Amino acid sequence: MAFVTCIAPVNIAVIKYWGKRNEELILPLNDSISCTLSTEQMCARTTVVASTRYNENKFWLNGKEENSNSPRLINCIKDIKEKAEKVESEASKLNVHICSENNFPTAAGLASSAAGYAALIAGLASLYGVKGDISAIARKGSGSACRSVLGGWVRWHKGELADGSDSIATEIAPASHWPEMRILILVVNDARKKHSSTSGMKQSVKTSAFLKYRVEKIVPERTDQMVKAIKTKDFETFAKLTMQDSNQFHSTCLDTYPPIHYMNDTSHAICDLVHAYNNIKGCNKVAYTFDAGPNACLYMLEQDVPEFFTLIMNVFPSDLDSVEYVKGMPLKVSVLSEQLKELADNYRHNTGALKYIIHTCVGDGPQVLREPHEHLLDKDGFPCKHS
Amino acid sequence: MAFVTCIAPVNIAVIKYWGKRNEELILPLNDSISCTLSTEQMCARTTVVASTRYNENKFWLNGKEENSNSPRLINCIKDIKEKAEKVESEASKLNVHICSENNFPTAAGLASSAAGYAALIAGLASLYGVKGDISAIARKGSGSACRSVLGGWVRWHKGELADGSDSIATEIAPASHWPEMRILILVVNDARKKHSSTSGMKQSVKTSAFLKYRVEKIVPERTDQMVKAIKTKDFETFAKLTMQDSNQFHSTCLDTYPPIHYMNDTSHAICDLVHAYNNIKGCNKVAYTFDAGPNACLYMLEQDVPEFFTLIMNVFPSDLDSVEYVKGMPLKVSVLSEQLKELADNYRHNTGALKYIIHTCVGDGPQVLREPHEHLLDKDGFPCKHS
């Protein structure tokens, strides 16, 4: 039996994907652009093993056995096996056991399915010796997963072909291109139930005239501007486009009937705070973006992290100790000017409005782990006890 | 000295006005449609008096002297005097004292300036014997005030002429046309500062591509559909269009840069509750609409008020006694089905999420009050002590 364990990153879109032109193949209505986050802080890990001894595919997610007959999972395995047959992989005829875990709470709503499917497809590709693009296969697992098979800055092309074979992810720039870029994720406390993004998108496509206009008239131009801003490391433009596109995505959700709202009062307060801060600084120092949930992802450059982080700690006090409240890369506290102290006073929230904060940076794509102790499946192909 | 006292109603738009094509003349980018609310529950009252003894115009609002040199006020007085000269009114040469009051809290954010300017212009028109359309003059005081000079269902035409003379309000149907219509206003507790709608609109016109699309492509068709729904008393369609247009207005605000958000978590919860209720009932029994603030205006037919009101009382408990919490027309409590009790349990909020509830109906336009004790100015033209 051959074991492969793979980790894959989370990605955060700066030009948003919302709406499919083909539900089954998961083909999007527009191109999107994302940043791949470092796997040091957040990743999905998947172990795959193929064996003659297995009568069926089996799948465990975060320690719990899941239905291995979901159409999306079956599609992904079928596709990768077809590619494997071309390279005459023996394993391609066997059933597989798959075990997947996230090292961050899935409840946080942080694109865990993207990382999960990217790790799975990268793992199967390695197991079967498949080379070349795997983003189109990952896409069939979870649309945005196709962006997690590459590192750095990634563009997911909507493609033109009916079979979706040109709806793939490509690299705009590697992680090393903009090493100063940092990401703060503010995980927001929220009582509301989350709309599934699959059904939300469907409803928007059906009912929102704004979505149609966005897809046809706005995203194509904005995508070009974003590629240029990333390539030239123009933070000012990058920040403006990122915030505008996040707002427009949520605007489209509100224009859906019945309306969908993912951001809550805390999310909106974070937006206001970022604009007030940028206004004081006289330029865009921080950019926010929100996915299908209330959590904020904030982009900023390394040099600006200490001050903005200190502001956040002042605005959002917590009862947790700092190890619990602030995770990821080390963070330094700085001294706030009188003006920023006043800003913090104006925006101060009750204790506990944020669950916790993650500090991370841009990272590489999926990696295969070679050490046996890193596998999530034991020698018989069942989840290890520690997992 | 001739005293005139006039009351004027609040109006609630069902097709929203957002964005001007001319800032000074207050000419809108699109037609809008509103319902005039009964002055029994909510109104502005204004007393005007002209005298040779006054060296200048004076203006008191809710007991406080205000600047009588605001360009909008000056414009309105100038326009009405020009019309007065044509009817050879002697009073048109004199300065005026104006005193205005709302019988509902201005803090509630309930279109108080619309009612206030409508009462002022109707009062001045009566004082000077001016006949014919006064909506174009009221419009220059506060855009939506032009809709408060008429009762029932009102359309404000954007007009085509550069001088704005065709940007007037006309009646779609009188208050008596749809006597079953009821309005529940849910005044929401809110900590945030309100964006002024004047500057908000300006920012949307400048930055939102969605607003441009809405104005050109969506509102014209939707306005026609709304007129038809009102004329045929088609509540199902009326409700859908009302909710869609409210959502699209707030969607446009969110697409503005920096984004504007008037609705808060409680507002969104009210939307969700209305959709869940309508879903259970199998048709649209209730429609929500939100202006530039978090308060919900709910339209429903008389027969459906008791049940929905009971649901609201279950979802939004209050510490206030019922006289404080529920104002306006009498409200009856009904018995909720098990399904609606479950709905209430699912949506229950903490005590105090709503400030209070107003129950009202469709009403007539401004009225002149003839009784001397109804004046807000004493015989010398200064605010009465009781005001």
Side-chain angles (χ1 to χ4, degrees), chain A residues 19-330:
Chain A
K20 300 181 181 70
R21 61 184 167 92
N22 181 312
E23 290 286 330
E24 200 201 343
L25 295 173
I26 311 192
L27 299 177
L29 284 170
N30 58 263
D31 285 25
S32 54
I33 293 177
S34 62
C35 169
T36 295
L37 303 188
S38 165
T39 51
E40 288 288 314
Q41 278 74 46
M42 294 159 74
C43 70
R45 176 187 297 214
T46 300
T47 299
V48 289
V49 56
S51 169
T52 52
R53 291 191 290 165
Y54 302 155
N55 301 322
E56 53 172 359
N57 295 325
K58 273 183 175 291
F59 175 43
W60 294 267
L61 178 64
N62 294 319
K64 217 183 106 209
E65 185 163 359
E66 299 279 331
N67 176 15
S68 62
N69 291 315
S70 87
R72 289 187 174 192
L73 186 63
I74 289 174
N75 259 346
C76 285
I77 295 174
K78 185 178 117 302
D79 278 15
I80 205 114
K81 284 189 173 182
E82 276 175 20
K83 277 209 168 189
E85 278 161 14
K86 291 181 192 153
V87 295
E88 295 177 12
S89 161
E90 276 306 305
S92 71
K93 295 176 186 72
L94 309 177
N95 284 316
V96 287
H97 280 194
I98 303 162
C99 188
S100 195
E101 272 185 9
N102 298 311
N103 71 343
F104 56 94
T106 46
L110 292 165
S112 52
S113 65
Y117 270 101
L120 168 66
I121 302 305
L124 289 171
S126 169
L127 184 74
Y128 297 152
V130 167
K131 304 277 176 221
D133 176 70
I134 55 169
S135 72
I137 300 175
R139 191 199 72 228
K140 295 191 196 173
S142 171
S144 58
C146 75
R147 297 187 310 235
S148 274
V149 304
L150 295 171
W153 301 90
V154 179
R155 178 173 185 161
W156 173 14
H157 304 262
K158 71 183 178 75
E160 303 294 339
L161 301 174
D163 71 352
S165 56
D166 58 347
S167 183
I168 59 169
T170 61
E171 184 191 275
I172 296 169
S176 59
H177 165 69
W178 207 346
E180 308 85 0
M181 187 64 83
R182 293 291 177 276
I183 294 98
L184 275 188
I185 300 174
L186 310 187
V187 179
V188 169
N189 260 320
D190 193 43
R192 282 177 305 153
K193 263 175 272 175
K194 192 173 167 287
H195 280 93
S196 106
S197 52
T198 298
S199 68
M201 276 183 206
K202 225 168 163 172
Q203 201 62 17
S204 293
V205 174
K206 218 165 105 186
T207 64
S208 171
F210 279 175
L211 178 61
K212 201 169 139 43
Y213 182 71
R214 164 176 165 73
V215 158
E216 286 171 12
K217 302 289 180 189
I218 295 171
V219 178
E221 191 184 345
R222 195 175 274 170
T223 303
D224 290 346
Q225 292 168 341
M226 183 62 92
V227 168
K228 194 177 155 206
I230 292 167
K231 286 197 167 164
T232 59
K233 297 168 67 172
D234 171 1
F235 189 84
E236 182 70 20
T237 305
F238 166 81
K240 185 175 180 187
L241 294 170
T242 296
M243 293 189 278
Q244 284 183 319
D245 207 67
S246 174
N247 293 333
Q248 189 165 81
F249 153 51
H250 292 280
S251 167
T252 301
C253 289
L254 207 47
D255 186 53
T256 300
Y257 187 81
I260 304 168
H261 41 101
Y262 289 116
M263 295 167 74
N264 67 14
D265 286 349
T266 308
S267 316
H268 287 297
I270 293 166
C271 293
D272 289 350
L273 180 69
V274 167
H275 284 292
Y277 178 77
N278 288 340
N279 201 37
I280 286 172
K281 305 306 274 186
C283 63
N284 289 332
K285 290 284 186 189
V286 180
Y288 55 75
T289 187
F290 294 81
D291 282 330
N295 303 321
C297 289
L298 305 178
Y299 287 92
M300 65 197 81
L301 299 179
E302 187 180 13
Q303 68 199 46
D304 299 316
V305 172
E307 186 174 84
F308 195 78
F309 168 65
T310 308
L311 183 67
I312 288 290
M313 294 296 277
N314 271 273
V315 170
F316 295 103
S318 173
D319 281 339
L320 300 173
D321 62 33
S322 63
V323 178
E324 285 290 304
Y325 194 46
V326 184
K327 301 165 197 274
M329 294 169 69

Side-chain angles (χ1 to χ4, degrees), chain A residues 209-210 213-214 218 240 243-244 247-248 250-252 254-255 257-259 261 264-265 268 272 275 288, chain B residues 209-210 213-214 218 240 243-244 247-248 250-252 254-255 257-259 261 264-265 268 272 275 284 288:
Chain A
F210 279 175
Y213 182 71
R214 164 176 165 73
I218 295 171
K240 185 175 180 187
M243 293 189 278
Q244 284 183 319
N247 293 333
Q248 189 165 81
H250 292 280
S251 167
T252 301
L254 207 47
D255 186 53
Y257 187 81
H261 41 101
N264 67 14
D265 286 349
H268 287 297
D272 289 350
H275 284 292
Y288 55 75
Chain B
F210 279 176
Y213 182 71
R214 161 175 167 75
I218 296 170
K240 185 176 181 188
M243 294 189 278
Q244 284 183 319
N247 293 334
Q248 190 167 80
H250 292 279
S251 167
T252 300
L254 206 48
D255 185 52
Y257 186 80
H261 41 101
N264 67 15
D265 286 351
H268 287 297
D272 289 350
H275 284 292
N284 288 333
Y288 55 76

